[in-house]
Amino acid sequence: MNSGFFITGTDTDVGKTWVSVALLRKFRRQGYTVAGMKPVAAGCEWRDDCLRNGDALLLQANSVPQLNYSQINPYAFAMPVSPHLACGEIQVNLAHILDQLQTIRQRADWVLVEGAGGWLSPLSSSLDNAGLAVALQLPVIMVVALRLGCLNHARLTYQAVCQQGLPCAGWVAVEIEAGRTDVHANLDYLRRHIAAPLLGVMPYQAIPDFDVLADNLSF
C-alpha cells in the first residue's frame, strides 16, 4: 500500500505522539505493517551511546517490522528547546529525511510521520514543519488539544494546512486536562468550522493506555 500521514498539532505537547501510537495500533489490528517516524526531535537523552527521544522510542516500539532508531529519528538533539536552536551547527538535510522515509515505505504499508511542535514551528534555520510536510507530500492529520485557546489554534492550523495545498485527512481531539466542562461545546464548534472529519476524541488519561486510545479512533 505504501501510504501514510503527516501528524501535526495545534501547538507543542498536544498529544501528537499519543495519537500516532494509537493510529499505529489501529492499523496493526487491521493486519497492516506500520512504521512511525519523527524526523527531528529535541530534548533527547543519551542512551546506548547515542541521543534518543522518548516520543521516537514509543514510535519505534509500536512499529512492525522493527526499524533502526536512526531511521525513525534521523536528527536527535539534546537541548530541550526549539529544534532550530537545539541543532546548533548541524544542518537538517531534507534529502536525508526523504531517503529515510523512502526506505521505511519499502517495509511498511502505513507510515506516520510526526512533526515537532506546531505546523509552523521551525526544525532548522531553513526548514519548518509545513515545509517538511509539503516535501513529503503526505495527507495531514491535525491533533487538537482541548484547552483554553484551542478554537483559535485549531482554525489557524487548519487554514495554514489548506493554504499549503495539502489535504487534511481529518483531526483528532485530545482531552489533555481533566475535568473540563467545555469539551462538548468546543467539539461542536470545531465540527462546524473545520471542513475535515473528526477522527476521534482521546479521553484524558494520566498514563496512556494506547489500546483504549485506539478504540476511540474511527478511521
Side-chain angles (χ1 to χ4, degrees), residues 34-189:
V34 296
M37 185 181 185
K38 191 174 180 73
V40 181
C44 303
E45 298 179 350
W46 285 101
R47 300 185 189 181
D48 301 325
D49 297 325
C50 68
L51 284 168
R52 298 181 186 244
N53 174 264
D55 293 343
L57 287 170
L58 270 175
L59 297 176
Q60 182 185 35
N62 286 275
S63 296
V64 177
Q66 282 290 295
L67 302 169
N68 294 330
Y69 182 83
S70 59
Q71 293 177 295
I72 289 173
N73 179 207
Y75 292 97
F77 306 121
M79 291 179 63
V81 295
S82 175
H84 81 291
L85 300 175
C87 66
E89 299 300 319
I90 298 174
Q91 296 296 316
V92 175
N93 188 326
L94 181 58
H96 178 58
I97 295 174
L98 292 172
D99 286 343
Q100 293 301 317
L101 175 62
Q102 185 59 33
T103 299
I104 293 172
R105 274 181 153 169
Q106 294 171 6
R107 301 187 60 191
D109 298 318
W110 290 95
V111 182
L112 303 181
V113 181
E114 181 187 331
W119 180 248
L120 293 178
S121 296
L123 300 173
S124 71
S125 60
S126 59
L127 181 68
D128 59 18
N129 284 277
L132 175 60
V134 169
L136 299 179
Q137 284 295 292
L138 294 174
V140 177
I141 293 176
M142 181 176 69
V143 179
V144 180
L146 295 175
R147 61 189 179 196
L148 191 63
C150 69
L151 304 182
N152 179 60
H153 292 163
R155 292 184 66 187
L156 285 174
T157 300
Y158 176 71
Q159 183 181 67
V161 171
C162 293
Q163 287 175 344
Q164 291 288 347
L166 292 173
C168 182
W171 56 287
V172 179
V174 181
E175 297 184 53
I176 64 170
E177 299 173 354
R180 291 199 67 92
T181 59
D182 56 357
V183 168
H184 293 297
N186 285 339
L187 287 172
D188 288 342
Y189 180 90

Side-chain angles (χ1 to χ4, degrees), residues 8 10 212:
T8 194
T10 51
V212 170

